[in-house]
Amino acid sequence: MLLGAWEHQGELLIVGGNLTDGGGDILHWDGSTLCREDNVTEQPLWWVHSDGSTVVMVGEQGTVLVDGERRDINTEATLFGAWVEGEEILAVGGSVAENTGAIWLWNGTAWESLVSDADGLVFKVHEQHIVGDGVAWTWNGDTLTEISNEERLVTVYEDVAVGGQQGPVVVDWDGGAWVARETTWLGQPLNGVHVGETTTWVTGMFGVMAYYDAGWKIPDFPLTSEHFHSVRSFQDEAWFLGGNFLSGGTYGTIGRHGEKERSITLQDCEDSR
């Protein structure tokens, strides 16, 4: 499965892994070559974030990579999201079995637990926003402030969050609360959002791919029924990333939106260098 992506020093870094029997993978895309590092960690990687100099990757059972070095959290929780800015790192996640959430802070020397038993999984963090399943906070670098939220919010980027249980949810931050946006034609629960230079991209279950331009624009015919988990714009293209979430053997799926059609061959990173 492909679960998250972020730009770092001229590359699009894509993380994921085998959700059936473990192993975290990293894909590198530089605009011309796509290559994969297999089993970089023992557990799948769910998210990646870079502040331009430091890159953080997080995953299952407290797995944390900071610039390629392990900085794991002593927990059985899955880490679904992370945010780094200088020395400060926030990691969020929780227990899927118990549907409880948690938030940790790397304070420069050690991990500090900020929340340990939220009443719902905590999925993502971006800048001041932390969102999850019926839970949300703002973070000012020193204090967490809980925000009213009754939705399942899976991903947040800048001031836009997406999610949903039975159908799509898109909400905008108005400075004090999350406010619902219209979601006509999106159809399915959403897992990913990216606010690009000119538009907002969203993606989700059963192949939802869309961008906003005076209304939601979707393919004339669905390109796939596989589930996308995240979307990221990079070098004038949008990359939709996911695969097979719910039935037998996990695998990755990539969809792209850009000005030109082209095929891409996935290589082993050692063979491409």
Side-chain angles (χ1 to χ4, degrees):
M1 276 293 303
L2 303 175
L3 297 166
W6 209 274
E7 183 175 351
H8 177 67
Q9 297 181 356
E11 285 189 321
L12 185 66
L13 297 179
I14 303 167
V15 298
N18 191 317
L19 302 185
T20 302
D21 55 14
D25 298 343
I26 304 171
L27 277 62
H28 301 254
W29 169 249
D30 62 6
S32 60
T33 301
L34 181 67
C35 74
R36 176 177 60 204
E37 296 181 79
D38 288 329
N39 296 315
V40 175
T41 56
E42 302 85 1
Q43 301 294 333
L45 295 167
W46 277 81
W47 203 246
V48 52
H49 179 252
S50 169
D51 66 357
S53 58
T54 299
V55 60
V56 175
M57 302 176 181
V58 296
E60 297 186 9
Q61 295 187 19
T63 299
V64 181
L65 284 174
V66 180
D67 290 334
E69 296 184 359
R70 297 296 286 267
R71 198 179 291 177
D72 293 358
I73 299 173
N74 184 21
T75 178
E76 294 296 311
T78 297
L79 305 178
F80 295 110
W83 174 264
V84 58
E85 188 169 359
E87 288 294 312
E88 183 180 279
I89 303 171
L90 285 170
V92 303
S95 168
V96 176
E98 298 177 3
N99 194 37
T100 56
I103 303 170
W104 292 268
L105 169 69
W106 177 263
N107 59 22
T109 57
W111 288 107
E112 174 186 347
S113 176
L114 301 181
V115 173
S116 60
D117 57 355
D119 222 2
L121 288 166
V122 185
F123 285 121
K124 294 294 184 297
V125 51
H126 187 278
E127 296 177 345
Q128 65 172 320
H129 301 301
I130 301 172
V131 300
D133 189 1
V135 292
W137 295 262
T138 60
W139 168 252
N140 68 1
D142 183 57
T143 304
L144 276 174
T145 302
E146 192 163 4
I147 302 297
S148 177
N149 171 38
E150 297 181 357
E151 302 287 358
R152 178 182 172 90
L153 299 179
V154 179
T155 307
V156 60
Y157 192 95
E158 295 184 353
D159 289 335
V160 184
V162 303
Q165 287 274 32
Q166 304 301 319
V169 170
V170 180
V171 293
D172 295 291
W173 180 251
D174 71 356
W178 291 106
V179 180
R181 187 190 297 195
E182 65 89 14
T183 56
T184 304
W185 308 115
L186 294 180
Q188 300 291 337
L190 302 173
N191 297 317
V193 60
H194 179 71
V195 181
E197 292 183 4
T198 60
T199 192
T200 297
W201 301 89
V202 298
T203 197
M205 305 300 283
F206 298 100
V208 172
M209 309 167 76
Y211 67 92
Y212 194 85
D213 182 7
W216 293 108
K217 309 299 182 183
I218 62 175
D220 293 333
F221 187 80
L223 301 186
T224 178
S225 61
E226 303 295 352
H227 307 306
F228 289 120
H229 187 78
S230 64
V231 59
R232 188 70 44 192
S233 61
F234 179 75
Q235 294 184 352
D236 300 322
E237 287 188 328
W239 282 58
F240 299 84
L241 307 162
N244 180 24
F245 261 119
L246 302 176
S247 59
T250 60
Y251 52 81
T253 300
I254 297 174
R256 302 191 335 274
H257 181 283
E259 293 184 357
K260 56 186 177 181
E261 295 183 10
R262 56 179 170 175
S263 61
I264 295 174
T265 301
L266 178 61
Q267 307 175 45
D268 181 87
C269 284
E270 290 299 322
D271 295 336
S272 68
R273 292 170 180 167

